[in-house]
Amino acid sequence: MTDFPALRDALQVWMQEAVAALTADSDAAYEGVGVPEWNCDTDGIFRNIVRPMDGWDFRKRRQLKQLASWPNVEQAVHKDDHLSRQVDIFVGTIHGGIRVEAYNLAMHVLPRPGEIDHANEVFEQRYADLETYLVADELEFKTIWPVPGLIVADMPIELESGIVLDAMSDRELVIALRTETVCPHFPSEPLFQAEPASRTCVRYRYRLSKLIDSRGDDASVRFQELEQRLQDIRATIEESLALVLPEPVMTAGRFGISGEQWSLVSGGVQFQQSMMPRHMRWRRIEVDVERVSDLQEVWKQVSQRGLLARHKGLALALRRLSYQAQRERADDELLDIMIAAEALYLAELGRQSERGDLRYRVALRAAVWADDLQLGMTKREVLKLMKSAYDARSAVAHGGSPDPKEMKIKGQRVELPELVKVTRTVVAQGCRKALAAAAGSDSGWPPDWDAMVLRT
């Protein structure tokens, strides 16, 4: 069953005549090699190498419009109202588009030289793709954020409607390698053997209206709205992971492609890269079933409409905690963590009358807010840890170095990376508890700190 029987019949007759003409011309077909590019070979290994390619000479293809069957193709297009309004005109979405001509449509169903032996099967598949595109009022797209280093069982995992934590397909991973949002451990190495940790991603599927003859008067507004949506999703990914995982993780950029449905712009890719610290590409974190459940819960809270807009201190704390993953040095990580702590525990201190000993307030509030059983630390130990971390932060922020004798956890001297790691755990737990309180009710956060301290 076809929506455009006249077009299908005309294209099939033209395709058969075109194949006969091309195969009879010894100069029409060419074989060669392309430029080096990533692809997945039959052994499952991804290689950045040149590969054989074939095709028809450009001039010979243009001459195919002179075949006796070609006018029937143009007549089938222009006699159908639905088809005629999509030909000899710009067709696309707010992402962009292409001027569609009958020639473009015909070229899609024409087999390559290596496909001549099964030309009819190639035609049937490609015509089905073409018709699906021509009938559609909307086109599917997907944006993918690679999250290198996560090892997650039982994917895909739904985070919200249209958004899943999943493993990239071979096609998606090829695009990630070509756009360098995923990189081999050794950049000059032309081989990449995919492991589960290198395929993990967050994928967002969405649909855009197909625009004909115009991108629409409000195209720029809709494009900005989509871009803001994509930025919000990335922030939600990184902030949610920062609260759930024991170590910082970040996305490796993003890339956007068309969905499984073929279209005339299917080859296009929009991408952004992120500068990942080198050690992040080697990190491996296993995410068990319990953490998956935690991630889904936190995601729902972070993405709750208007929640973080009403709690700006909490929003800043989550943002700065997620920024830790971008840092190369432990002292820079400490600054982000302690900014998060101050934003979380001192949100009301914009008022002059409330300012006092910030070091003591941060440490005391972190201690009374902490879940000591979950942390494996007493509230007094949390108090001392946060004082030590605040002192180290002050030294770094003012151009100095932390005093090694003052960096202690549970009374034991530690190096700065260990101090950073444990402080991060305390602040992340505090942020998560605050997020749950804020999501529960508008009065859930911040608490009455004075009342909490006096009860302790």
Side-chain angles (χ1 to χ4, degrees):
M1 186 66 181
T2 174
D3 286 273
F4 311 114
L7 176 64
R8 183 192 178 284
D9 292 345
L11 278 174
Q12 188 168 35
V13 171
W14 171 85
M15 181 274 294
Q16 292 167 347
E17 187 179 5
V19 167
L22 291 168
T23 53
D25 187 339
S26 59
D27 295 326
Y30 67 82
E31 293 182 354
V33 293
V35 297
E37 66 177 359
W38 287 103
N39 226 319
C40 183
D41 293 320
T42 55
D43 59 1
I45 304 297
F46 293 78
R47 294 179 175 86
N48 185 21
I49 57 175
V50 297
R51 292 177 173 81
M53 60 179 295
D54 66 357
W56 301 113
D57 181 83
F58 174 81
R59 292 165 297 179
K60 303 294 184 181
R61 283 186 286 139
R62 280 292 177 185
Q63 292 172 7
L64 298 177
K65 292 197 291 184
Q66 299 172 13
L67 296 175
S69 57
W70 178 251
N72 293 333
V73 174
E74 292 191 318
Q75 186 179 50
V77 168
H78 291 292
K79 279 194 170 183
D80 187 287
D81 291 340
H82 190 85
L83 293 176
S84 61
R85 62 188 290 267
Q86 298 184 67
V87 175
D88 298 329
I89 207 165
F90 176 92
V91 180
T93 68
I94 58 173
H95 278 317
I98 189 173
R99 178 179 170 82
V100 177
E101 299 176 357
Y103 178 76
N104 303 127
L105 308 182
M107 284 300 104
H108 178 64
V109 301
L110 181 67
R112 297 194 309 272
E115 299 171 330
I116 294 299
D117 291 341
H118 49 282
N120 288 328
E121 291 87 343
V122 171
F123 174 85
E124 293 296 342
Q125 178 59 55
R126 292 186 184 165
Y127 179 79
D129 292 340
L130 178 61
E131 185 164 291
T132 300
Y133 167 74
L134 292 170
V135 168
D137 293 321
E138 294 181 325
L139 301 178
E140 184 188 61
F141 292 86
K142 52 186 176 180
T143 296
I144 293 166
W145 293 262
V147 191
L150 289 192
I151 303 172
V152 187
D154 299 324
M155 293 191 291
I157 294 159
E158 186 175 50
L159 299 173
E160 65 175 86
S161 178
I163 302 179
V164 296
L165 182 67
D166 200 3
M168 283 184 279
S169 66
D170 287 347
R171 172 181 176 245
E172 291 167 347
L173 187 51
V174 164
I175 296 171
L177 287 163
R178 291 178 181 177
T179 58
E180 297 185 355
T181 47
V182 168
C183 298
H185 292 314
F186 303 101
S188 61
E189 178 62 55
L191 299 176
F192 185 83
Q193 188 161 5
E195 56 177 326
S198 60
R199 288 185 180 266
T200 305
C201 73
V202 172
R203 184 188 301 108
Y204 170 46
R205 293 183 183 273
Y206 56 98
R207 303 186 72 83
L208 296 176
S209 297
K210 185 162 69 173
L211 304 177
I212 299 174
D213 193 28
S214 170
R215 294 183 66 183
D217 296 336
D218 61 344
S220 61
V221 173
R222 285 183 289 157
F223 183 84
Q224 291 173 24
E225 291 173 347
L226 174 61
E227 178 60 28
Q228 186 60 57
R229 172 65 170 150
L230 299 179
Q231 292 181 17
D232 290 345
I233 292 173
R234 176 187 173 176
T236 303
I237 296 168
E238 296 186 342
E239 291 169 11
S240 299
L241 292 174
L243 296 188
V244 171
L245 300 181
E247 297 180 76
V249 172
M250 66 180 290
T251 60
R254 79 179 199 222
F255 59 90
I257 56 177
S258 58
E260 278 65 39
Q261 172 190 330
W262 177 86
S263 78
L264 286 171
V265 293
S266 288
V269 181
Q270 304 93 36
F271 67 95
Q272 295 179 2
Q273 299 169 337
S274 294
M275 296 298 295
M276 292 189 72
R278 281 170 292 183
H279 67 273
M280 293 293 295
R281 296 190 181 274
W282 293 92
R283 180 166 291 167
R284 297 291 179 266
I285 301 176
E286 294 196 14
V287 182
D288 59 20
V289 174
E290 182 178 354
R291 284 211 171 104
V292 165
S293 178
D294 291 344
L295 176 60
Q296 290 173 309
E297 179 183 4
V298 169
W299 182 284
K300 183 177 180 181
Q301 293 166 347
V302 172
S303 57
Q304 184 174 316
R305 183 180 296 274
L307 178 66
L308 295 182
R310 296 193 300 272
H311 298 279
K312 291 183 169 54
L314 177 56
L316 175 58
L318 299 185
R319 196 161 62 246
R320 294 309 296 231
L321 195 64
S322 72
Y323 288 174
Q324 181 199 356
Q326 303 173 21
R327 311 307 179 198
E328 293 271 6
R329 297 166 53 97
D331 50 3
D332 290 331
E333 293 183 65
L334 181 65
L335 290 177
D336 282 319
I337 293 168
M338 293 312 293
I339 291 172
E342 288 187 302
L344 182 66
Y345 296 117
L346 305 178
E348 85 285 7
L349 295 191
R351 296 194 296 269
Q352 183 71 33
S353 60
E354 295 290 339
R355 294 176 185 169
D357 186 346
L358 301 186
R359 169 182 179 271
Y360 184 72
R361 283 176 183 251
V362 167
L364 183 61
R365 290 180 177 185
V368 299
W369 187 247
D371 184 332
D372 45 351
L373 292 177
Q374 190 177 38
L375 287 173
M377 302 173 68
T378 67
K379 292 187 181 296
R380 185 174 295 276
E381 288 169 341
V382 173
L383 177 71
K384 292 180 178 179
L385 166 71
M386 294 303 291
K387 285 182 178 180
S388 179
Y390 200 96
D391 290 340
R393 165 259 179 213
S394 296
V396 171
H398 294 93
S401 299
D403 185 347
K405 298 191 297 295
E406 299 300 323
M407 292 191 294
K408 295 181 179 180
I409 301 174
K410 296 184 178 182
Q412 301 295 314
R413 285 173 55 178
V414 295
E415 298 297 323
L416 183 58
E418 183 64 18
L419 181 70
V420 168
K421 181 178 180 180
V422 178
T423 304
R424 178 193 184 279
T425 301
V426 172
V427 175
Q429 189 218 61
C431 285
R432 185 171 172 189
K433 184 177 176 182
L435 179 65
S441 70
D442 286 338
S443 60
W445 180 261
D448 185 337
W449 291 112
D450 291 341
M452 289 188 69
V453 169
L454 291 172
R455 285 200 307 268
T456 303

